Amino acid sequence: MQKQKRKIDEFLISFKLGFFLAIRQMRRSNKATTALIIFIMTLTFLNLVVVRGVLIGIIEGSTEIYQKYSTGEVFVSELRQKSYIENSPSMLETIKTLPWVESFSPRYLERGNIEADYKSRIRLTDAPNSVGAIIAGINPVAENNTTDLSSKIIEGKFLSLGDTNYILLGSSLLKKYMPMDSASFTSLRNVKLGDKVRIKVDGNTKELTVKGVIRSKADEVDFRAYVLDSVLRNMIGRTDYNVNEVAIKLKAGANPIVVKDALLNSGIGDRARVQTANEALPKFIIDVKKTFAILGDIIGSIGLVVAAITIFIVIFVNAITRKKFIGIMKGIGISAQAIEISYVFQSLFYAIFGIGVGLLILYGFLVPFINTHPIKFPFSDGILVAKAGATFFRVFLLALATIIAGFIPARIVVKKNTLDSILGR
Amino acid sequence: MSKIIEVKNLTKSFKTGDKELVVLNNMSFEIEEGQFFSVTGRSGSGKSTLLYQLGLLDHPNSGEIIINGIKVSALGNEERTKFRLKELGYVFQDYALVPELTAIENAAIPLLMQGFGKKEAYQKAEKALHRAGLTDRLESLPNQLSGGEQQRISIARAIAHDPKIIFADEPTANLDSETANQVMQTFSELNSGGQTIVMVTHESEYARLTRRAIKLGDGVIVADGKPENVI
Ligand SMILES: Nc1ncnc2c1ncn2[C@@H]1O[C@H](COP(=O)(O)OP(=O)(O)OP(=O)(O)O)[C@@H](O)[C@H]1O
Ligand SMILES: [Mg+2]
């Protein structure tokens, strides 16, 4: 007991003296060197947070796009073996009554074929200018309320109620926006606004005028063609009004999981698949998301090691060049602990200032800047994801690495023979 | 007078290659409390080596050192550090001040290490600086001060915590004769106040100012007594 108390007292004294020494050593050290070390710490911190943040942000961006323009926060779709959601009208009634639902868009879907230039095609043996696509029948008002899809029109106009002779084409169906061609992957050539195209669904054909082109960067949206729900319903003879999917937009703050559970509890689960936006993501995005997170962690870990080595070298050089004074201090009775603590404080100082500057740059500049100027990727608009929890964890990691990296070299030098240190041997 | 240091059969040797150089050979002597004691001898005779053994900065090969009744040669490293902190003071030839610390901070660190509060430590440090002859420029860094001034800080640091013994290795060697005389004057004053001082010097002029001297040669004490007789 007594001995323990003495140890604690000694530690407190060493702690105070270590702080005393560290402050003075830093205050009287070379300002440029200090600034450089802090700069390195800042870069390391940003490397740790930003690289991962951008990698995840790319995916987060595409996740957001999927949620926003395709699935909504909660997504109801047909069961795997079924070609539609049975008893859809009553399901839609149920959805309508849920208090969290802001709006929802039921969609009819059918695989079909879109052909252009069929009038100028001379010989039947000529390859048609056509593309296979999923034709979606939508209520444009409900769709727009739910997914704001009209904001993604890049040519022409969005559908209006009554546009029974018009079609919207997803940009990926057009060669202009999808310059890829292979036997298995075709697209429409030279189709302009106002051109007539012929859609063939379920053995029925209909001639429609191209009203607009849509591009959201979500494949699910961009590989589809959109017509009015009534048009498609008639073509496929869906007289029972059974739809294939419903995108649901929730009121701000509503929890998608709660809504999903509510839908499942109402028995809809027997007829349809109910998913939150995250669950409804295409598999490739989920895979890429995982891969990028791992990649970000690997790059971050390397950054962490580099930071630790940097601090190690800085403190080691500092301690080695001050070996004589360390020896003298030990000679006159200053404890090894106090001297080690003084170096831990110094490295902590570098870490705190480096991280502080890094946080300032991160939240004061980078995050808001990238939010307003997203990084353009083919499949998303990348944002910088730096959630407070994850950032704080990295701050903690970096500080810990710094403390250890400062302590070890200090200890190495402090452990050297006192007299040898004093005499510079 | 009571004995403050007892040295019994002290031997210290160094291995260089396969040769063994015996610097202190089975040496025994005693130093009384309150003594102003000088160690002389030509260069390489082992003066510094002896001082490092007495000052607990080095480990002898064999023999015993007893300071103030404590067998210090048997203490472990941590206890030696504590013993040095409490009971001993050092003045080195090259002052050995910590360059980032001001005069008063340099003098205060052993006191802070002893657990004194900052205010009390600074008061004691200031008093020690005054006794050592430095009354102003207490906030200056060592490199802003002259050699003599730095040596005064070094002395102040050595005496601030009222140690049992002060060890000084050639404290005047880097100083001009006038400054050196002032430093010797300070030592004499401290000794008059009862302070035990063990000083190494190869300059007879300064050995003469002490009260007892030994002369080393070939690893043994070749003369011991009043300085004027030893030199
Ligand atoms: N660590 C060591 N390894 C090997 N030899 C050493 C070591 N330390 C001291 N010596 C040798 O021991 C002898 C005594 O050295 P010491 O420094 O004690 O002499 P000194 O009397 O203080 O000399 P000076 O007046 O030049 O300071 C010298 O020959 C020196 O070379
Ligand atoms: Mg010497």
Side-chain angles (χ1 to χ4, degrees):
Chain A
M1 249 340 257
Q2 206 61 27
K3 201 173 166 196
Q4 234 165 349
K5 193 186 169 312
R6 218 179 53 223
K7 280 253 180 274
I8 294 171
D9 286 346
E10 279 168 16
F11 178 79
L12 284 178
I13 290 172
S14 293
F15 190 84
K16 276 197 248 170
L17 186 56
F19 186 72
F20 177 94
L21 292 171
I23 291 285
R24 280 152 187 82
Q25 212 183 312
M26 282 179 305
R27 200 191 292 154
R28 283 148 197 162
S29 68
N30 188 314
K31 299 283 176 297
T33 317
T34 308
L36 184 68
I37 297 164
I38 290 176
F39 181 61
I40 292 172
M41 291 306 293
T42 301
L43 290 184
T44 311
F45 172 74
L46 289 178
N47 178 37
L48 210 59
V49 175
V50 173
V51 172
R52 188 191 144 93
V54 168
L55 283 175
I56 294 177
I58 293 169
I59 298 305
E60 198 85 346
S62 88
T63 309
E64 266 181 22
I65 283 172
Y66 266 91
Q67 174 175 328
K68 190 143 198 272
Y69 303 115
S70 176
T71 63
E73 281 111 316
V74 177
F75 187 62
V76 183
S77 55
E78 69 217 0
L79 291 174
R80 208 155 286 181
Q81 317 85 337
K82 296 289 162 86
S83 46
Y84 47 78
I85 303 170
E86 278 165 21
N87 218 348
S88 293
S90 82
M91 174 188 70
L92 295 176
E93 279 307 313
T94 309
I95 293 174
K96 205 183 285 178
T97 59
L98 292 178
W100 311 279
V101 174
E102 167 92 32
S103 68
F104 60 96
S105 174
R107 300 174 190 140
Y108 299 89
L109 302 176
E110 193 66 46
R111 179 146 273 287
N113 187 278
I114 306 169
E115 185 176 354
D117 302 333
Y118 42 89
K119 282 182 181 144
S120 55
R121 187 166 159 225
I122 301 162
R123 281 171 306 222
L124 269 176
T125 50
D126 286 352
N129 183 13
S130 73
V131 67
I134 290 184
I135 316 290
I138 57 167
N139 174 332
V141 177
E143 182 66 41
N144 205 39
N145 285 341
T146 308
T147 60
D148 194 27
L149 208 55
S150 68
S151 69
K152 290 287 137 179
I153 291 285
I154 51 169
E155 278 186 50
K157 285 211 173 68
F158 194 64
L159 289 176
S160 309
L161 292 169
D163 276 347
T164 47
N165 290 316
Y166 289 98
I167 185 167
L168 290 181
L169 296 176
S171 63
S172 299
L173 301 175
L174 300 175
K175 182 145 194 181
K176 184 170 160 190
Y177 298 106
M178 198 71 178
M180 241 200 305
D181 218 351
S182 73
S184 61
F185 195 94
T186 58
S187 48
L188 294 170
R189 296 172 302 248
N190 299 321
V191 171
K192 302 181 295 295
L193 292 181
D195 284 0
K196 293 220 177 330
V197 295
R198 194 161 66 187
I199 64 169
K200 192 191 282 181
V201 181
D202 222 11
N204 300 317
T205 58
K206 188 173 170 74
E207 192 175 63
L208 296 166
T209 306
V210 177
K211 190 178 183 191
V213 177
I214 205 156
R215 179 161 69 174
S216 70
K217 292 191 177 178
D219 279 353
E220 235 75 341
V221 173
D222 297 352
F223 274 106
R224 284 181 177 180
Y226 293 84
V227 298
L228 287 193
D229 44 5
S230 56
V231 171
L232 189 63
R233 207 165 50 220
N234 288 337
M235 288 182 81
I236 59 177
R238 197 75 66 77
T239 50
D240 50 11
Y241 284 66
N242 281 336
V243 299
N244 295 77
E245 63 182 35
V246 187
I248 304 173
K249 181 183 181 180
L250 302 182
K251 292 186 173 132
N255 182 352
I257 295 171
V258 170
V259 179
K260 176 189 163 179
D261 289 345
L263 284 170
L264 288 176
N265 286 339
S266 74
I268 285 172
D270 301 337
R271 295 144 36 208
R273 193 152 59 134
V274 183
Q275 295 169 301
T276 63
N278 275 333
E279 296 162 347
L281 282 177
K283 187 174 178 315
F284 97 92
I285 289 196
I286 294 173
D287 290 345
V288 173
K289 201 171 184 171
K290 279 187 197 143
T291 312
F292 276 20
I294 293 171
L295 212 61
D297 283 340
I298 290 173
I299 295 172
S301 308
I302 294 172
L304 199 62
V305 172
V306 170
I309 293 174
T310 307
I311 288 293
F312 184 96
I313 293 172
V314 165
I315 297 294
F316 194 65
V317 168
N318 182 309
I320 280 286
T321 52
R322 299 184 73 262
K323 188 173 131 187
K324 180 181 165 75
F325 306 113
I326 290 174
I328 289 161
M329 285 198 273
K330 278 161 62 194
I332 63 174
I334 308 299
S335 71
Q337 203 174 35
I339 300 166
E340 285 159 7
I341 288 171
S342 80
Y343 280 100
V344 168
F345 269 121
Q346 284 182 64
S347 44
L348 200 60
F349 166 87
Y350 295 136
I352 287 172
F353 272 76
I355 291 170
V357 174
L359 283 173
L360 225 61
I361 295 176
L362 181 67
Y363 290 114
F365 171 70
L366 281 176
V367 170
F369 180 81
I370 296 182
N371 272 342
T372 48
H373 305 85
I375 310 164
K376 301 280 181 203
F377 287 100
F379 53 91
S380 80
D381 291 337
I383 49 168
L384 176 54
V385 176
K387 297 209 178 84
T391 305
F392 181 78
F393 177 63
R394 276 158 188 78
V395 167
F396 170 77
L397 274 187
L398 188 56
L400 188 71
T402 310
I403 289 174
I404 295 169
F407 174 74
I408 294 171
R411 161 146 276 206
I412 292 174
V413 176
V414 170
K415 279 272 171 231
K416 288 195 191 299
N417 181 287
T418 304
L419 187 59
D420 287 349
S421 300
I422 294 175
L423 300 177
R425 288 198 289 234
Chain B
M1 261 195 279
S2 64
K3 293 166 280 187
I4 193 154
I5 303 178
E6 292 171 70
V7 177
K8 293 179 186 164
N9 309 106
L10 184 69
T11 297
K12 177 71 186 177
S13 62
F14 297 104
K15 273 212 175 70
T16 41
D18 40 34
K19 266 196 270 171
E20 181 143 10
L21 177 68
V22 183
V23 180
L24 305 175
N25 193 359
N26 207 27
M27 197 174 273
S28 300
F29 63 95
E30 290 164 3
I31 300 174
E32 311 78 35
E33 190 163 10
Q35 187 57 274
F36 192 177
F37 187 90
S38 60
V39 182
T40 63
R42 53 171 181 74
S43 181
S45 56
K47 304 184 293 292
S48 296
T49 305
L50 176 61
L51 198 77
Y52 299 146
Q53 314 308 312
L54 299 181
L56 304 194
L57 291 169
D58 203 0
H59 296 266
N61 298 58
S62 62
E64 270 182 18
I65 299 168
I66 296 158
I67 295 180
N68 207 25
I70 298 167
K71 202 170 141 188
V72 290
S73 44
L75 293 178
N77 269 331
E78 208 174 310
E79 275 129 4
R80 287 169 151 249
T81 305
K82 278 183 199 155
F83 192 87
R84 290 198 300 266
L85 177 68
K86 286 252 167 63
E87 313 291 356
L88 310 181
Y90 300 86
V91 180
F92 296 93
Q93 176 178 335
D94 58 357
Y95 329 130
L97 300 173
V98 180
E100 299 87 16
L101 302 183
T102 61
I104 191 150
E105 287 165 353
N106 259 292
I109 45 170
L111 297 163
L112 292 171
M113 188 72 229
Q114 287 195 22
F116 286 101
K118 201 168 160 186
K119 199 170 160 209
E120 201 178 352
Y122 274 52
Q123 279 170 357
K124 280 177 181 280
E126 189 173 348
K127 221 192 266 170
L129 283 160
H130 286 180
R131 271 202 289 163
L134 196 72
T135 47
D136 56 357
R137 313 203 56 194
L138 304 189
E139 302 297 333
S140 301
L141 293 174
N143 64 9
Q144 299 164 335
L145 296 170
S146 73
E149 287 165 330
Q150 289 186 58
Q151 194 58 299
R152 286 174 200 286
I153 301 170
S154 179
I155 293 169
R157 184 179 64 187
I159 61 174
H161 57 293
D162 294 320
K164 285 265 176 322
I165 310 160
I166 292 177
F167 294 102
D169 192 356
E170 310 266 12
T172 54
N174 282 0
L175 304 175
D176 61 65
S177 60
E178 192 185 333
T179 318
N181 281 325
Q182 287 168 8
V183 166
M184 286 310 295
Q185 178 67 33
T186 306
F187 277 137
S188 295
E189 281 166 23
L190 289 168
N191 178 246
S192 309
Q195 178 71 59
T196 310
I197 302 174
V198 179
M199 179 182 82
V200 164
T201 182
H202 65 273
E203 288 165 287
S204 50
E205 168 187 5
Y206 298 123
R208 221 180 285 279
L209 299 174
T210 65
R211 295 204 277 129
R212 178 183 161 198
I214 58 170
K215 187 174 189 173
L216 302 186
D218 293 327
V220 295
I221 298 171
V222 294
D224 183 351
K226 288 223 160 293
E228 47 272 29
N229 303 332
V230 169
I231 304 157

